[in-house]
Amino acid sequence: MPAKLELLPAVDVRDGQAVRLVHGESGSETSYGSPLQAALAWQASGAEWLHLVDLDAAFGTGDNRALIAEVAGAMDIKVELSGGIRDDASLEAALATGCRRVNLGTAALETPEWVAKVIALYGDKIAVGLDVRGTTLRGRGWTRDGGDLYETLARLDSEGCARYVVTDIAKDGTLTGPNLELLRNVCAATDKPVVASGGVSSLDDLRAIAELVGQGVEGAIVGKALYAKAFTLEEALEAVSR
Ligand SMILES: O=C(O)c1ccccc1NCC(=O)[C@H](O)[C@H](O)COP(=O)(O)O
């Protein structure tokens, strides 16, 4: 029997606040208060993972490094850390938070040699975020084109990348449902586990993603739907339990 789908509630941090964006666009923020309170609430609701994003570091508008370290340090659950991790210093700071793994995005597009090096050094502590519009990757906080999804995926696979976090930017923060076709296509192109991100709006969306576990989907990140109270995390965990 395939494993159950892992759920990763999201805490995206901008200017010290937990926020959700629409299509990842800077300026489209809705604020949801303290990132630490949000993370503690997801943990108390039974989450096994937290997806924690430093949006300022992703956009190059500063960083929330101290706050991110405080939130990650307060968690008993596994943390996946994303946003602006592009060189040795930012990677070391991210790993020093005690997070279970980091997502590299822009670096995989702009400094492939460095990414190959850290994949070899850190193994499954490194995931790569494949953030796409259509099949074109986007970097620098999703603001710049960065090449073809499937060419980059083949390169990263050949370098031993352990896992991919796949986001359809057109869906992200919109509550319009995940891009299941994209997930199926990426799973068909790699043997490595895939974490789905962007667009989850309902328990049925989560059940539909869970149907793809046998094809290689390991987890689903859920942001806006939880903050908008479309369902509770407890309901979501129950919906994907087997
Ligand atoms: O992860 C990043 O580095 C990032 C960079 C720029 C804009 C957004 C970014 N991440 C957003 C997320 O990871 C969301 O939390 C996630 O896709 C949840 O989406 P949704 O369920 O649609 O709110």
Side-chain angles (χ1 to χ4, degrees):
M1 184 193 293
K4 75 177 164 98
L5 184 75
E6 292 175 346
L7 293 186
L8 299 86
V11 175
D12 292 23
V13 183
R14 185 106 207 241
D15 202 14
Q17 296 292 299
V19 300
R20 284 305 304 123
L21 308 180
V22 180
H23 302 149
E25 278 168 20
S26 185
S28 68
E29 290 89 342
T30 305
S31 186
Y32 293 97
S34 157
L36 180 60
Q37 292 311 314
L40 288 170
W42 304 143
Q43 175 171 273
S45 297
E48 294 178 13
W49 277 96
L50 177 71
H51 174 74
L52 183 58
V53 185
D54 187 341
L55 286 174
D56 286 298
F59 289 125
T61 53
D63 67 70
N64 300 276
R65 208 175 261 184
L67 178 56
I68 292 280
E70 183 192 355
V71 174
M75 293 294 103
D76 298 323
I77 59 176
K78 293 168 278 194
V79 176
E80 171 178 275
L81 198 50
S82 185
I85 304 167
R86 297 174 190 162
D87 55 23
D88 287 331
S90 50
L91 177 59
E92 280 160 22
L95 292 173
T97 65
C99 68
R100 177 63 189 82
R101 67 178 181 239
V102 301
N103 285 347
L104 307 180
T106 301
L109 312 178
E110 296 186 359
T111 52
E113 300 83 8
W114 179 76
V115 170
K117 181 187 85 172
V118 299
I119 285 171
L121 262 179
Y122 295 107
D124 73 356
K125 280 190 161 297
I126 306 285
V128 169
L130 299 169
D131 308 314
V132 294
R133 281 200 176 270
T135 57
T136 301
L137 290 158
R138 303 278 284 177
R140 299 263 158 199
W142 302 356
T143 60
R144 283 197 216 158
D145 283 354
D148 177 72
L149 166 61
Y150 295 103
E151 285 173 18
T152 302
L153 179 58
R155 186 194 83 221
L156 290 161
D157 261 359
S158 73
E159 293 165 354
C161 183
R163 168 178 286 98
Y164 302 100
V165 178
V166 176
T167 306
D168 180 351
I169 296 167
K171 295 284 193 176
D172 201 80
T174 64
L175 295 173
T176 54
N179 185 338
L180 299 171
E181 187 188 0
L182 172 69
L183 295 170
R184 276 189 215 99
N185 290 343
V186 171
C187 286
T190 180
D191 291 335
K192 295 296 165 44
V194 166
V195 178
S197 188
V200 169
S201 69
S202 66
L203 296 176
D204 279 346
D205 286 343
L206 291 174
R207 292 185 190 104
I209 297 174
E211 291 293 316
L212 302 180
V213 166
Q215 294 179 45
V217 175
E218 176 185 70
I221 293 168
V222 191
K224 185 74 173 269
L226 290 172
Y227 292 95
K229 301 192 190 318
F231 48 77
T232 66
L233 184 58
E234 289 89 340
E235 288 169 334
L237 290 164
E238 171 63 24
V240 299
S241 67
R242 285 177 189 262

